[in-house]
Amino acid sequence: MGSGASSQKGGESLIQIHYPKESIAEISRQSKLSFVAVLREWQRWTEMGCDEDGILSVERLRAEYEGDVIMYRVIDSIPTTADGKISFTDFCRILYIWQTMTMEERLQTLFQILNNGDPLTAETVTEVIRAVRPETEDLDQIRMIAAQMPASLSCLGTSVIDEEDFVAWAKNLPIG
């Protein structure tokens, strides 16, 4: 069983944190994430209901991001046990890998996740836009944008976006 700590005020417990069997420091060392980052993520995982070993079901993690097509696909790309569970330590290792990737590597990974590495079609772009901006555009407007996007982004003017087109486009987005 994991250890725990709490703060007390006048005999009343304000915060109760149960730590995994492996210490936060050990997970930090294994994953190469900072101690603070691991602790922050552990608190999120305990709020989601992981067990004392830091194991969480894929279904519970998906429920945290219900309706988010992109996160649903990211979660599907995380290695799981045979019974559909994800370990906290593995999750932290993946976070570290993501944090140490270059922008181009992140964009390539995102492209692979969006459509299993297949070229993006107007239908896929529609799903992505709806996931990113569900409250702003109506479906007809989204479909119109999505139908125009592949041809305008593709170097060859085709109706699909390949990885190279996607990365080149995303790297040039004005961020401000």
Side-chain angles (χ1 to χ4, degrees):
M1 184 166 175
S3 61
S6 64
S7 297
Q8 299 252 334
K9 181 179 180 182
E12 184 180 327
S13 179
L14 299 176
I15 301 170
Q16 182 104 23
I17 302 170
H18 294 279
Y19 297 99
K21 278 187 174 178
E22 293 182 83
S23 73
I24 296 295
E26 179 61 19
I27 293 170
S28 174
R29 186 192 64 72
Q30 288 178 19
S31 68
K32 299 181 183 175
L33 284 175
S34 73
F35 180 87
V36 172
V38 172
L39 183 58
R40 182 180 56 243
E41 289 302 322
W42 177 251
Q43 289 170 330
R44 287 191 67 224
W45 273 56
T46 57
E47 289 169 6
M48 287 188 276
C50 73
D51 68 18
E52 65 186 25
D53 294 322
I55 305 297
L56 189 64
S57 72
V58 171
E59 290 80 26
R60 179 61 191 101
L61 194 54
R62 282 184 184 146
E64 191 71 14
Y65 299 98
E66 187 177 347
D68 187 330
V69 174
I70 296 170
M71 279 306 297
Y72 190 85
R73 290 180 178 166
V74 168
I75 291 165
D76 281 347
S77 70
I78 298 173
T80 60
T81 62
D83 59 348
K85 303 213 173 166
I86 299 170
S87 81
F88 179 69
T89 302
D90 287 344
F91 181 78
C92 287
R93 287 181 183 130
I94 290 166
L95 282 179
Y96 174 77
I97 291 168
W98 180 259
Q99 288 178 355
T100 58
M101 288 178 164
T102 66
M103 178 58 74
E104 189 160 330
E105 290 169 332
R106 285 183 184 184
L107 292 170
Q108 289 167 338
T109 300
L110 181 58
F111 180 87
Q112 295 295 320
I113 289 169
L114 289 176
N115 205 31
N116 299 320
D118 295 329
L120 300 178
T121 63
E123 183 179 317
T124 309
V125 173
T126 299
E127 286 181 34
V128 171
I129 293 170
R130 288 183 76 190
V132 173
R133 302 189 64 186
E135 74 289 339
T136 56
E137 278 119 336
D138 64 38
L139 186 55
D140 290 335
Q141 184 179 14
I142 291 172
R143 285 186 178 137
M144 183 181 73
I145 293 167
Q148 295 168 357
M149 195 171 166
S152 66
L153 296 183
S154 173
C155 294
L156 302 174
T158 64
S159 63
V160 296
I161 303 169
D162 66 15
E163 184 176 310
E164 184 179 336
D165 295 334
F166 177 80
V167 171
W169 167 76
K171 283 172 56 177
N172 292 312
L173 285 174
I175 301 182

